[in-house]
Amino acid sequence: IYSRGQKTKDFLKECDVVFILSYVGQFLGNEDIEFIKTILPTEGVQKAIIVGSKFDSGLLDYKERETTFEKALRNSFINFSSHAKLTLKKMQENSEDFNILRDLQKSVDKGESPIFISSLLYTCAKKLENNQLLSDEENNIINRMKSRFSGFEATSEFLLELANIDNI
């Protein structure tokens, strides 16, 4: 929507940092890449942080069956981070020398970015803390995680840590 895009562009001029939210199932797709390459540099954005959303869905897409949660978590993190690194490297090769691309690449190389989050697991954790019932969708995700991965815990502490929202 043009008006929303224009409002975003106008607001970018006032930002100290931009969080680029990208769904891990289609992590750093064409729209994200174009935004980073064309919009951020022209609007004077100096710092950006890549955030991989719906990390719970990315974990459930993990290819290996009959595995531990720890292994799936570690390998998913590595795979998504490697994808970000390769994508940014290609962007730098095919773009002018923008500082923001170099800084994004450095943050990925240092392991500072991308940051992976799950708002659904965060909501589940908060509901469990407050003894509230989970929705059907939330129950479905939790039950799939439990049945899919040995070592997955459906406690509020475990889910909060996995959600990673507090680190943002």
Side-chain angles (χ1 to χ4, degrees):
I1 300 173
Y2 177 78
S3 64
R4 198 175 327 156
Q6 189 58 48
K7 284 184 181 189
T8 299
K9 285 176 78 174
D10 292 343
F11 184 70
L12 285 174
K13 294 174 184 153
E14 299 175 31
C15 293
D16 295 321
V17 64
V18 172
F19 291 88
I20 300 164
L21 189 65
S22 182
Y23 166 50
V24 295
Q26 300 166 348
F27 198 42
L28 294 176
N30 290 337
E31 286 183 21
D32 300 322
I33 292 167
E34 282 305 306
F35 181 77
I36 294 167
K37 279 177 30 178
T38 59
I39 304 297
L40 293 183
T42 61
E43 300 303 323
V45 173
Q46 297 298 312
K47 181 160 177 66
I49 296 170
I50 299 169
V51 178
S53 68
K54 297 186 179 183
F55 192 56
D56 52 284
S57 294
L59 284 168
L60 287 170
D61 288 341
Y62 185 69
K63 303 288 185 233
E64 187 178 328
R65 300 289 172 200
E66 308 285 327
T67 190
T68 65
F69 179 73
E70 185 179 313
K71 182 177 179 184
L73 179 66
R74 181 180 59 248
N75 288 341
S76 294
F77 182 84
I78 290 168
N79 289 339
F80 295 135
S81 295
S82 295
H83 177 73
K85 188 180 281 193
L86 287 172
T87 300
L88 290 170
K89 188 174 185 168
K90 286 179 189 174
M91 285 171 59
Q92 281 186 305
E93 291 169 358
N94 299 323
S95 297
E96 294 177 30
D97 191 26
F98 294 122
N99 288 337
I100 195 156
L101 290 175
R102 280 196 314 274
D103 290 345
L104 273 171
Q105 186 70 50
K106 284 178 190 174
S107 73
V108 169
D109 290 342
K110 291 179 186 176
E112 298 168 350
S113 177
I115 298 169
F116 299 106
I117 61 167
S118 169
S119 59
L120 185 136
L121 294 180
Y122 183 81
T123 301
C124 290
K126 290 299 185 179
K127 284 183 175 181
L128 290 173
E129 276 182 357
N130 295 313
N131 296 315
Q132 296 174 319
L133 294 176
L134 301 180
S135 71
D136 289 342
E137 178 188 11
E138 293 162 344
N139 268 319
N140 180 40
I141 295 293
I142 296 297
N143 290 331
R144 286 178 60 202
M145 291 276 200
K146 281 196 239 179
S147 66
R148 179 84 198 285
F149 305 114
S150 63
F152 180 83
E153 299 175 31
T155 64
S156 61
E157 297 82 11
F158 186 84
L159 296 176
L160 269 178
E161 186 176 333
L162 181 59
N164 206 26
I165 298 286
D166 290 335
N167 287 332
I168 297 289

